[in-house]
Amino acid sequence: MGVYANRLARLWRQFSVVGLLVGTLFFAFSLTPSLVPRPFLVQGLISGLSFTAGYAVGFFGRWLWSYVELPVPGPRVDWVIKILATVICSVVAVTFLWQAGEWQNALRALMEMEEAGGVQPVSVGLMTLVVFVMLLTLARLFKHTFRFLALWLGRYIPQHVSNVVGVLVAAALFWSVIDGVIFSLALRAADNSYQQVDALIEDELTRPTDPLKAGSVDSYVDWRDLGRQGRNFVSSGPRASDLREFFGENTLEPIRIYVGLNAAETAEERADLALRELKRVNAFERSVLLLVTPTGTGWVDPAALNPVEYLHRGDIATVTAQYSYLPSALSLMVEGEYGAEMARALFEKVYGHWSSLPADERPRLYLHGLSLGALNSDRSFDIYDVIQDPFHGALWSGPPFRSETWRKATRERDPGTPAWLPSFRDGDVVRFMNQHQGLDRYDGEWGAFRIAYLQHASDPITFFDPESFYREPEWIREPRGPDVSPDLRWYPIVTMLQLAADMAAGSTPAGYGHTFSASDYIDAWRVLTEPEGWSASDIERLRALFSD
């Protein structure tokens, strides 16, 4: 027993007591609500990261205190302080753990979701421990790397200089390996793997016989090269018969053009295929042309597209091209420019041909994107290249936090308007809406060139902010968005980790988080594109159609 006790004592001495205490507080804070409800696995991961971050803060603080030779309490006082701190941190952790289930269920009730079970304290604790051990091992590997570099450099330069250089070199080495090698290569490798698998997937959809359909015998794009998302895209949506039943008269059938990632090697070639398809089906003769940038997986939200095809009575063509198979949240976090090349190539091809047509003979041109698609759609054009002949507008839903146009409009918003639903220069060009207030809430006229944002205050893709690491985000301050928990609080470091986890925490009902409803899109498209012949009762009938 004495041997095991000594080993346990030595193991305990290897840890920083201050680090463990601060880590326990961070663990408790991680259990508080954030923007969306968290499943068990996500909660365990975020608690582990938070505990590790708190341990690092405590460890560094204690080291810094000793390094600058500040006075320390005597052994007896130090022992009393540690006991009191341990008791306080333990009470806080148990209290927060007990309350965590109620917080999550209150947030679920706010979003009209069913209650879930508790946070499973034992499972969360075990996951926290596993994550902490893994990251601690990585930290100790960094420590050994730094010491090796410092000793080697110490042969040629003064020791204090070698220590500084050793830390910097080790940090640069680890960051380049993690960010530049592991993340980027893993992202590309995963994308390539999904691409190969997608090409082999056989679904129940049959190749269209209509020559106006992408993937048909007459199409420049092979049915198999559309990919799973592309086949679903061109096979779904309202048909002419659906529109005829709704309107009681004959209408055109909407045109949908999709170019899959396997259709060509380069973005330029895929964009050229898309333009050839548009010309083949006479898409430029429709009254509206919609250029959509899909999400990271290549998905186009039917809740966004189906309503606008009804609003324009089928007299509309939509074109999109795939650039990835990966979820948007993953691409956003590790590869900010992912997909921008494809979006730019497609815009340049489509806009180049559109702008060459007589102004009174070409369709109205709009852009659309959801999530990563909104970001890349924003990056697809330079305002100075289109200012002489601008397209008509854009609807970007769930704009990611990286979106520069969104960030500028939010940062420079009109005084007195909240960060989660700002007004920018009285809505002359850029307008914001959510599930409660539409684009027509502005008093002034909307110009010929229009940019519209559809966003939810509870959307972590939009409101994640790296600066929440050290300061409270503006959207947390009162008044808060109606779909944000009143129990949400800002904690340094922890809140940023929570928001990062929220982006992968799972789905929410339509109208909350990163999920948008067809009803909201009806309002957005109606005000943005101003389709003719729609009364208030007609709009309500359209809402009823999509609420079934």
Side-chain angles (χ1 to χ4, degrees):
M1 289 293 294
V3 174
Y4 290 111
N6 289 334
R7 288 180 179 176
L8 186 61
R10 285 198 299 271
L11 180 63
W12 175 254
R13 285 194 293 270
Q14 291 179 2
F15 290 97
S16 166
V17 175
V18 177
L20 292 173
L21 295 175
V22 178
T24 303
L25 285 178
F26 276 36
F27 167 79
F29 298 154
S30 73
L31 299 168
T32 60
S34 48
L35 285 179
V36 297
R38 294 191 291 268
F40 147 69
L41 290 175
V42 175
Q43 181 61 68
L45 175 62
I46 208 62
S47 293
L49 292 172
S50 298
F51 181 84
T52 306
Y55 181 87
V57 169
F59 178 87
F60 178 76
R62 182 66 180 85
W63 171 84
L64 185 62
W65 187 280
S66 299
Y67 183 79
V68 298
E69 298 180 349
L70 292 173
V72 296
R76 180 173 296 181
V77 176
D78 184 60
W79 182 82
V80 172
I81 292 174
K82 288 178 179 178
I83 292 297
L84 289 174
T86 301
V87 171
I88 293 172
C89 289
S90 299
V91 170
V92 170
V94 171
T95 302
F96 277 57
L97 196 60
W98 182 270
Q99 183 70 23
E102 293 186 18
W103 280 326
Q104 291 299 311
N105 280 328
L107 183 55
R108 295 176 70 87
L110 182 66
M111 296 186 174
E112 303 177 276
M113 301 170 67
E114 294 183 358
E115 286 192 3
V119 295
Q120 306 177 31
V122 175
S123 300
V124 170
L126 288 175
M127 280 198 65
T128 299
L129 182 61
V130 170
V131 173
F132 173 67
V133 170
M134 292 175 60
L135 293 177
L136 185 64
T137 302
L138 183 63
R140 289 182 172 174
L141 178 61
F142 175 85
K143 177 182 176 181
H144 291 312
T145 303
F146 147 66
R147 285 185 172 178
F148 171 79
L149 291 171
L151 287 173
W152 182 77
L153 291 169
R155 303 174 184 175
Y156 310 101
I157 57 179
Q159 189 63 48
H160 63 281
V161 177
S162 68
N163 288 338
V164 174
V165 175
V167 169
L168 295 177
V169 172
L173 177 64
F174 270 65
W175 179 253
S176 63
V177 170
I178 293 173
D179 181 61
V181 179
I182 296 178
F183 279 162
S184 295
L185 291 183
L187 188 70
R188 300 292 175 178
D191 202 11
N192 290 335
S193 298
Y194 280 118
Q195 180 177 357
Q196 295 169 15
V197 171
D198 188 84
L200 299 175
I201 292 177
E202 294 291 339
D203 46 43
E204 298 178 355
L205 300 173
T206 57
R207 189 175 191 176
T209 56
D210 185 349
L212 294 181
K213 296 287 187 182
S216 65
V217 175
D218 299 290
S219 174
Y220 293 117
V221 185
D222 188 87
W223 177 245
R224 291 170 298 180
D225 290 338
L226 289 175
R228 181 170 54 88
Q229 296 288 6
R231 292 190 290 269
N232 287 330
F233 176 77
V234 301
S235 300
S236 60
R239 298 287 184 264
S241 57
D242 301 318
L243 297 173
R244 182 171 59 250
E245 180 180 353
F246 182 85
F247 292 106
E249 61 185 39
N250 289 329
T251 66
L252 295 171
E253 182 161 318
I255 293 173
R256 292 188 175 191
I257 301 299
Y258 193 103
V259 178
L261 197 55
N262 284 317
E265 288 294 325
T266 67
E268 185 73 18
E269 291 171 339
R270 291 193 292 274
D272 186 63
L273 269 177
L275 180 59
R276 291 171 63 195
E277 277 286 276
L278 288 170
K279 291 179 179 179
R280 183 183 69 83
V281 299
N282 298 319
F284 290 96
E285 296 180 8
R286 295 295 174 99
S287 64
V288 175
L289 177 59
L290 189 58
L291 200 167
V292 176
T293 303
T295 65
T297 61
W299 179 67
V300 177
D301 188 358
L305 190 56
N306 294 347
V308 73
E309 292 178 331
Y310 269 88
L311 286 169
H312 290 280
R313 301 172 185 265
D315 191 13
I316 181 174
T318 303
V319 60
T320 186
Q322 189 177 22
Y323 55 87
S324 172
Y325 292 95
L326 295 178
S328 295
L330 179 60
S331 301
L332 274 172
M333 293 301 294
V334 300
E335 192 68 47
E337 289 294 323
Y338 212 48
E341 180 186 11
M342 183 68 253
R344 283 192 290 267
L346 182 59
F347 176 83
E348 288 173 1
K349 288 288 184 179
V350 173
Y351 175 81
H353 180 73
W354 175 85
S355 60
S356 70
L357 301 174
D360 58 346
E361 298 180 10
R362 65 192 183 190
R364 286 182 289 160
L365 176 60
Y366 295 93
L367 274 56
H368 172 63
L370 163 66
S371 190
L372 186 62
L375 171 66
N376 286 323
S377 180
D378 187 7
R379 291 173 168 174
S380 66
F381 67 95
D382 189 323
I383 191 65
Y384 298 105
D385 293 334
V386 303
I387 195 66
Q388 296 296 329
D389 190 10
F391 56 94
H392 293 77
L395 172 58
W396 293 321
S397 48
F401 63 94
R402 289 180 180 269
S403 303
E404 287 302 322
T405 304
W406 174 86
R407 290 171 65 89
K408 176 180 175 60
T410 302
R411 183 175 58 248
E412 300 178 10
R413 64 187 181 276
D414 298 335
T417 60
W420 47 270
L421 191 62
S423 172
F424 178 69
R425 299 182 182 179
D426 298 321
D428 291 341
V429 175
V430 180
R431 294 189 176 186
F432 292 80
M433 68 170 286
N434 64 8
Q435 67 272 53
H436 300 287
Q437 299 184 60
L439 297 172
D440 52 1
R441 65 191 178 92
Y442 297 83
D443 295 328
E445 292 292 327
W446 206 355
F449 178 70
R450 304 173 174 184
I451 294 177
Y453 286 107
L454 169 58
Q455 61 188 45
H456 297 151
S458 57
D459 188 349
I461 298 290
T462 297
F463 291 106
F464 173 82
D465 186 354
E467 293 183 0
S468 61
F469 182 90
Y470 59 87
R471 75 177 181 188
E472 181 183 57
E474 291 183 291
W475 55 264
I476 288 183
R477 300 168 189 168
E478 299 292 343
R480 291 186 179 178
D483 47 333
V484 174
S485 170
D487 297 314
L488 190 152
R489 299 290 182 270
W490 174 74
Y491 301 100
I493 302 175
V494 176
T495 296
M496 188 202 72
L497 295 174
Q498 288 178 317
L499 296 177
D502 281 348
M503 291 196 286
S507 61
T508 56
Y512 301 97
H514 201 54
T515 307
F516 299 88
S517 70
S519 179
D520 293 332
Y521 276 116
I522 290 172
D523 289 337
W525 288 120
R526 176 180 59 83
V527 179
L528 178 69
T529 65
E530 297 183 330
E532 297 179 354
W534 284 87
S535 65
S537 60
D538 292 333
I539 292 295
E540 290 307 314
R541 200 160 60 92
L542 186 61
R543 290 189 204 279
L545 177 68
F546 284 100
S547 64
D548 295 337

